[in-house]
């Protein structure tokens, strides 16, 4: 069961629409869905909302520490409320996935993502859930830092928003801990092919 939904990004208007903030965009949409507003919480170094879903406490968190220190915020909240790593979902931008796609996974390495690197360090494990929002790769490793801190082109932004809206439909499954069903739903992005009518029937 997911108790803590975390979206990664950088605070401040200059970063608001950059690719690195895809996690923030997802959490903003979830907050709208749950009809909650995130408020500054100095103890947890972030913007936080707390609500109840089917009698269970659920937290939403947008660290305000800048990406490289995301774990400072996640770790503080998780420790205080005794939330286990496997009860945490971190939503973040992913270079190795194309815009328009999102992938759910548990555990694994931080793969060079500075936000995940710090969360690993603060939690002492990589055994938490990640929802990876595809932002695509610039094609040149030297361009990655520049790429993530730039605004996506309008067509790419639309694709990223599509993947956010699609994956957001699974929030109840995630919260309830039905990860197999959530994975299937999130990873199925193409609409089913229409059935070809059988000319012999009717």
């Amino acid at each position: 069961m997911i108790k803590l939904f975390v979206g990664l990004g950088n605070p401040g208007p200059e970063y608001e629409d950059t690719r690195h903030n895809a996690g923030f965009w997802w959490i903003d949409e979830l907050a709208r869905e749950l009809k909650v507003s995130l408020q500054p919480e100095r103890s947890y170094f972030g913007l936080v909302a707390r609500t109840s879903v089917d009698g269970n406490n659920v937290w939403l968190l947008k660290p305000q520490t800048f990406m490289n220190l995301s774990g400072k915020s996640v770790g503080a909240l998780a420790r205080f409320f005794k939330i286990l790593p496997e009860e945490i979902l971190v939503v973040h931008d992913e270079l190795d996935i194309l815009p328009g796609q999102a992938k759910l996974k548990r555990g694994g390495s931080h793969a060079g993502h500075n936000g995940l690197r710090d969360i690993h360090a603060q939690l002492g494990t990589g055994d938490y859930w990640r929802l990876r929002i595809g932002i695509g790769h610039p094609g040149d490793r030297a361009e990655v830092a520049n790429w993530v801190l730039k605004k996506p082109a309008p067509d790419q932004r639309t694709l990223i928003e599509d993947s956010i809206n699609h994956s957001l439909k699974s929030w109840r499954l995630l919260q309830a801990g039905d990860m197999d069903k959530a994975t299937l739903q999130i990873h199925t992005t193409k609409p089913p092919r229409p059935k070809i009518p059988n000319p012999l029937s009717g």
Side-chain angles (χ1 to χ4, degrees):
M1 183 183 291
I2 298 298
K3 295 181 180 177
L4 171 57
F5 291 88
V6 182
L8 300 189
N10 287 307
E14 67 270 39
Y15 296 109
E16 202 171 323
D17 295 320
T18 61
R19 293 180 177 93
H20 228 12
N21 276 33
F24 274 12
W25 305 343
W26 198 93
I27 288 291
D28 288 340
E29 290 302 318
L30 179 58
R32 283 191 196 98
E33 180 81 23
L34 293 173
K35 296 180 173 57
V36 296
S37 62
L38 292 107
Q39 303 295 334
E41 290 279 359
R42 289 177 63 183
S43 302
Y44 314 123
F45 313 99
L47 299 174
V48 180
R50 181 177 179 174
T51 187
S52 178
V53 178
D54 299 329
N56 297 299
N57 283 326
V58 174
W59 287 264
L60 278 60
L61 172 65
K62 288 166 61 176
Q64 299 293 289
T65 49
F66 288 95
M67 186 65 83
N68 294 8
L69 295 174
S70 298
K72 181 180 180 182
S73 175
V74 177
L77 194 148
R79 280 192 295 272
F80 187 82
F81 292 108
K82 296 181 172 55
I83 299 170
L84 301 172
E86 59 267 29
E87 297 171 332
I88 299 172
L89 176 75
V90 177
V91 187
H92 65 91
D93 57 307
E94 176 58 66
L95 289 158
D96 295 332
I97 298 174
L98 292 172
Q101 297 180 9
K103 301 287 182 187
L104 182 68
K105 68 177 279 193
R106 177 176 167 180
S109 77
H110 53 68
H113 192 290
N114 288 332
L116 298 184
R117 188 196 307 269
D118 197 52
I119 292 170
H120 270 53
Q122 290 286 338
L123 295 180
T125 178
D127 194 28
Y128 52 89
W129 288 90
R130 305 96 187 267
L131 179 60
R132 303 147 75 208
I133 305 294
I135 60 166
H137 198 287
D140 181 352
R141 286 186 67 179
E143 285 297 312
V144 163
N146 200 23
W147 177 260
V148 297
L149 293 176
K150 271 191 172 172
K151 295 179 182 181
D155 60 328
Q156 288 189 358
R157 174 76 192 233
T158 299
L159 286 169
I160 293 168
E161 287 176 349
D162 286 348
S163 71
I164 287 171
N165 291 332
H166 174 72
S167 56
L168 200 66
K169 291 173 184 171
S170 301
W171 77 264
R172 274 192 171 275
L173 293 172
L174 294 165
Q175 185 271 329
D178 194 345
M179 299 322 229
D180 289 342
K181 201 166 181 180
T183 301
L184 186 64
Q185 191 168 303
I186 290 166
H187 291 197
T188 307
T189 53
K190 291 178 181 174
R193 288 184 178 182
K195 286 183 180 175
I196 298 166
N198 184 345
L200 299 176
S201 64

